[in-house]
């Protein structure tokens, strides 16, 4: 079942909790589809008044910040053995190549890797634990974590919500034009086909060519 179709069957409170928990677990370091859940929920909020986009964005932001902070604490305590363990459990996401890529990003950008990592699926999973493993100062991590979480979670919710409202309003306003256009295209196609069929039927049949004379035995 499609994610949004499934969310439509869930009460609003459960949607808020689901968004916060899934994004929190993803930020903690567990590969889950947090962005898909957030986008689907924000789009659903634009179509159903039961879901408040402000509460939705707040739950997503809280999940992102808290999950990243827990991931930081786990990474700082577990160190590199934790990354090796995660690589064994989730080889697709925590492979040595992915860890090396994320580590280079942290070494190059520092706290900005945490901030901008919120907008990149791979770094969104790595940011918290890897910042802890690399012993990034907590105040730097927390600053980037809070700002990135607010901008990513709140911004994504707001953008998708308003895009959904505009799209629904546009479709309601111009749906009848689409219907008229579809009918006109159908009628035009039918008339063109009928006209071609009449021309084909009225065209004179080509005269048959005379059969060749049989060749004599002596030829």
């Amino acid at each position: 079942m499609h994610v949004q179709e499934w969310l439509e069957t869930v009460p609003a409170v459960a949607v808020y909790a689901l968004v916060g928990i899934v994004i929190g677990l993803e930020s903690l370091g567990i590969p889950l589809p947090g962005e898909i859940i957030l986008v689907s929920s924000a789009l659903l909020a634009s179509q159903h008044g039961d879901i408040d986009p402000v509460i939705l964005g707040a739950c997503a932001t809280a999940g992102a910040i808290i999950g990243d902070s827990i991931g930081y604490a786990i990474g700082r305590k577990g160190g590199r053995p934790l990354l090796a363990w995660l690589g064994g459990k989730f080889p697709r996401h925590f492979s040595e190549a992915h860890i090396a890529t994320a580590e280079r990003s942290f070494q190059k950008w520092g706290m900005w890797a945490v901030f901008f990592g919120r907008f990149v699926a791979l770094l969104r999973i790595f940011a918290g634990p890897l910042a802890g493993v690399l012993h990034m100062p907590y105040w730097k991590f927390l600053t980037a974590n809070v700002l990135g979480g607010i901008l990513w979670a709140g911004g994504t919710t707001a953008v998708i919500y308003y895009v959904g409202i505009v799209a629904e309003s546009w479709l309601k306003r111009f749906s009848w034009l689409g219907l008229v256009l579809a009918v006109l295209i159908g009628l035009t196609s039918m008339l063109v086909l009928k006209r071609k069929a009449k021309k084909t039927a009225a065209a004179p049949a080509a005269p048959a060519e005379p059969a060749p004379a049989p060749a004599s035995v002596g030829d």
Side-chain angles (χ1 to χ4, degrees), residues 46 162-175:
S46 69
Y162 286 112
V163 166
I165 289 179
V166 171
E168 188 176 15
S169 175
W170 188 89
L171 289 174
K172 283 182 178 179
R173 187 178 304 173
F174 296 102
S175 59

Side-chain angles (χ1 to χ4, degrees), residues 25 28-31 71 74-75 77-96 99 125-126 129 133:
L25 291 175
L28 188 151
I30 299 175
I74 294 174
K77 185 175 182 180
R80 292 194 176 276
L82 173 66
L83 296 180
W85 179 83
L86 289 172
K89 293 293 183 180
F90 307 102
R92 181 180 175 185
H93 296 85
F94 289 90
S95 65
E96 292 183 4
I99 292 174
I125 299 172
F126 279 112
V133 170

Side-chain angles (χ1 to χ4, degrees), residues 83-166:
L83 296 180
W85 179 83
L86 289 172
K89 293 293 183 180
F90 307 102
R92 181 180 175 185
H93 296 85
F94 289 90
S95 65
E96 292 183 4
H98 286 170
I99 292 174
T101 300
E103 192 168 354
R104 283 195 299 271
S105 299
F106 271 71
Q107 291 172 349
K108 183 177 181 180
W109 301 105
M111 63 182 291
W112 293 109
V114 178
F115 177 82
F116 290 111
R118 178 57 62 184
F119 300 87
V120 181
L122 180 64
L123 288 178
R124 188 160 56 245
I125 299 172
F126 279 112
L130 191 56
V133 170
L134 297 177
H135 290 271
M136 177 182 290
Y138 184 68
W139 70 268
K140 288 186 176 182
F141 170 80
L142 183 62
T143 301
N145 179 26
V146 170
L147 294 177
I150 292 173
L151 190 59
W152 174 75
T156 299
T157 303
V159 169
I160 298 299
Y161 176 76
Y162 286 112
V163 166
I165 289 179
V166 171

Side-chain angles (χ1 to χ4, degrees), residues 197-214:
K198 285 183 179 179
K199 284 184 177 181
T200 302
E209 294 182 2

Side-chain angles (χ1 to χ4, degrees), residues 60 78 152 176 191 196:
W152 174 75
W176 64 272
L191 291 174
K196 287 186 176 180

